[in-house]
Amino acid sequence: MAKITLEYDARNPIARKTLSYILSIGFSEVKPRKTGLEEAFEDIENGRVTRIYTPKNRKDGKA
């Protein structure tokens, strides 16, 4: 599957209608983007992070 990135003016009604038409055909899908914070919480929930380092608990004392 190929990935296409579009840049368009979200206030343009013709661009919005065209994009909604393309999505309504059904051969494409929109995947919502996650923020870095959402990805971090997901990593913690899935066990991909075992220890969180902060300046207070680092052994070398560097920030």
Side-chain angles (χ1 to χ4, degrees):
M1 177 179 256
K3 178 189 256 186
I4 298 174
T5 304
L6 301 174
E7 290 186 25
Y8 65 97
D9 183 10
R11 291 178 272 171
N12 185 339
I14 296 172
R16 285 194 315 239
K17 287 180 184 178
T18 304
L19 189 57
S20 65
Y21 173 72
I22 292 170
L23 294 174
S24 70
I25 292 172
F27 62 84
S28 61
E29 63 183 52
V30 176
K31 294 183 181 178
R33 287 186 156 186
K34 293 182 184 178
T35 64
L37 185 60
E38 290 172 339
E39 289 179 0
F41 283 135
E42 183 179 306
D43 289 342
I44 292 170
E45 289 173 2
N46 293 332
R48 292 186 288 239
V49 177
T50 57
R51 188 173 293 155
I52 299 174
Y53 289 105
T54 63
K56 291 182 180 179
N57 68 0
R58 284 184 74 131
K59 292 181 180 177
D60 58 2
K62 295 180 182 177

